[in-house]
Amino acid sequence: MSDNSDIEEEEQGPNLGEYEGERNDKDERHGYGKATLPNGDTYEGMYENGKRHGQGTYRFKNGARYIGEYMKNKKHGYGTFIYPDGSKYEGNWVEDQRCGQGKYFYINADTYEGEWRDHKRHGQGVYTYAETGTKYTGTWKEGKREGAGDLIHANHKYVGQWKEDRPEGKGKYVFDIGCEQHGEYIPVEQVKDDKGGEEEEQQAVIIPKWKAGVVTAITLAPEPDEEEEEEKKEEGEKPAETTEATEGAVEGGEEQAPAAETTEAGGEAAADAPESSEQAPATEEEPAAEGGEATDGAAEEQAEDAAPAEEEAAAD
């Protein structure tokens, strides 16, 4: 899926298209003006020495539009880009690229808020999957999850390391009921089943497999009344202990813990991402669903997360 990264604005000469507005001594567009370009795009805003410079609004003939700051004909500074499919980006730009802090709104209601570089999610950021409420918060590198990150679900979360948009290495599942399961994700190479394709054309894919480790005991917090009662007991008297009945259950079912646990962001959210918009990262499958193996949805970020398409050309 493309993220409209290739939508390009038409370059301007001093007499390109129709123009109404201020000019300088060299007859260049300078100051406030309105222009209708030969390809049907329009621009209204500030110019400097014949180039878009300052605050302006550029409308593409396909319905896309940019409202924000320009510097020497390029989007630079803070601006909002609304794509033909209705998705939009609000944030900082550097030389026509999403760069710095910004928020992307996808047409499936997913959002990403955080750092960008060269049109891609890069640095610290939070991706929220609207359908499930799952969130990934952590480090990104060139559009993919990389480094430390947390995948947060309704009643549990996965905390660990990521590589190439999938969990890899040591980590743990933390459950709201008070227990943790430690372990690690091991990359396993599998041949992608390509029906109808010849054997030599089949491609190997990396699937993260969860290797369960220690499950910590559940610690039940004492009721307020119990705390007061214990404080009143005389020294040397054995205090009533909190029964950890659930501890045995957890230890007995430690191989099942991941099962009830996580879907990395929700399966194949990326598959639902708009074709023309910035792509959503794939979601992680529940370990239990695959007999303890958790897979990162093959669908990579929608258009561009696998390699987010550049923002502007797609519009044309």
Side-chain angles (χ1 to χ4, degrees):
M1 305 241 174
S2 162
D3 70 340
N4 292 314
S5 305
D6 297 328
I7 300 177
E8 295 181 356
E9 300 170 2
E10 185 159 331
E11 291 298 325
Q12 296 190 171
N15 299 305
L16 183 63
E18 300 177 3
Y19 175 74
E20 178 183 343
E22 300 174 293
R23 293 181 180 272
N24 60 16
D25 294 340
K26 297 179 180 180
D27 201 32
E28 296 172 323
R29 299 172 184 180
H30 191 88
Y32 181 81
K34 299 179 182 180
T36 300
L37 305 178
N39 67 353
D41 294 350
T42 64
Y43 172 77
E44 180 175 355
M46 301 304 295
Y47 288 87
E48 184 177 286
N49 300 324
K51 296 182 178 181
R52 295 182 291 274
H53 192 94
Q55 192 71 23
T57 299
Y58 192 105
R59 299 177 185 275
F60 298 83
K61 61 183 179 181
N62 65 357
R65 62 188 182 278
Y66 171 78
I67 306 102
E69 296 176 283
Y70 280 91
M71 186 174 74
K72 296 181 179 180
N73 253 14
K74 294 183 177 181
K75 295 181 287 294
H76 194 95
Y78 188 87
T80 298
F81 200 110
I82 302 172
Y83 298 91
D85 59 10
S87 60
K88 71 175 180 179
Y89 169 79
E90 296 178 348
N92 291 298
W93 298 77
V94 174
E95 295 190 348
D96 271 346
Q97 303 287 305
R98 293 188 292 268
C99 191
Q101 287 290 327
K103 186 172 184 177
Y104 200 107
F105 300 81
Y106 299 83
I107 60 171
N108 65 354
D110 288 359
T111 62
Y112 169 79
E113 184 169 10
E115 296 177 291
W116 297 78
R117 191 180 75 180
D118 298 333
H119 260 333
K120 299 178 181 179
R121 296 184 283 274
H122 190 93
Q124 293 299 307
V126 178
Y127 192 101
T128 302
Y129 296 85
E131 185 175 358
T132 61
T134 295
K135 291 184 179 181
Y136 169 82
T137 176
T139 308
W140 299 77
K141 182 179 179 181
E142 296 183 351
K144 297 180 179 181
R145 288 164 289 192
E146 185 87 16
D150 297 356
L151 190 65
I152 306 169
H153 300 278
N155 58 5
H156 68 280
K157 66 180 178 179
Y158 172 74
V159 180
Q161 294 293 314
W162 298 72
K163 183 177 180 180
E164 287 291 318
D165 216 31
R166 64 179 182 270
E168 185 171 317
K170 294 185 181 299
K172 63 180 179 180
Y173 283 100
V174 182
F175 297 89
D176 289 354
I177 56 175
C179 67
E180 299 179 347
Q181 183 182 60
H182 298 258
E184 65 178 312
Y185 272 104
I186 300 173
V188 178
E189 187 174 292
Q190 293 184 1
V191 176
K192 186 177 181 181
D193 185 12
D194 187 10
K195 296 181 179 179
E198 298 181 5
E199 183 175 350
E200 57 269 22
E201 296 179 350
Q202 292 181 340
Q203 297 181 345
V205 295
I206 302 298
I207 304 297
K209 181 178 180 181
W210 176 247
K211 181 180 179 181
V214 177
V215 176
T216 62
I218 298 175
T219 302
L220 300 178
E223 295 294 332
D225 291 343
E226 294 179 356
E227 291 181 344
E228 294 178 4
E229 183 178 342
E230 290 179 0
E231 290 176 358
K232 294 178 181 180
K233 288 182 179 293
E234 295 181 0
E235 184 178 357
E237 184 176 351
K238 183 179 180 180
E241 297 182 354
T242 302
T243 304
E244 300 183 349
T246 54
E247 178 179 351
V250 173
E251 293 178 347
E254 72 175 324
E255 291 302 322
Q256 299 178 355
E261 240 185 69
T262 187
T263 61
E264 184 209 316
E268 311 246 299
D272 296 329
E275 291 250 9
S276 55
S277 86
E278 174 45 301
Q279 306 189 355
T283 61
E284 179 183 342
E285 304 238 348
E286 293 228 6
E290 295 295 329
E293 296 184 8
T295 62
D296 207 31
E300 294 188 328
E301 311 202 355
Q302 311 196 33
E304 186 132 19
D305 253 5
E310 301 177 276
E311 158 211 329
E312 319 226 25
D316 290 335

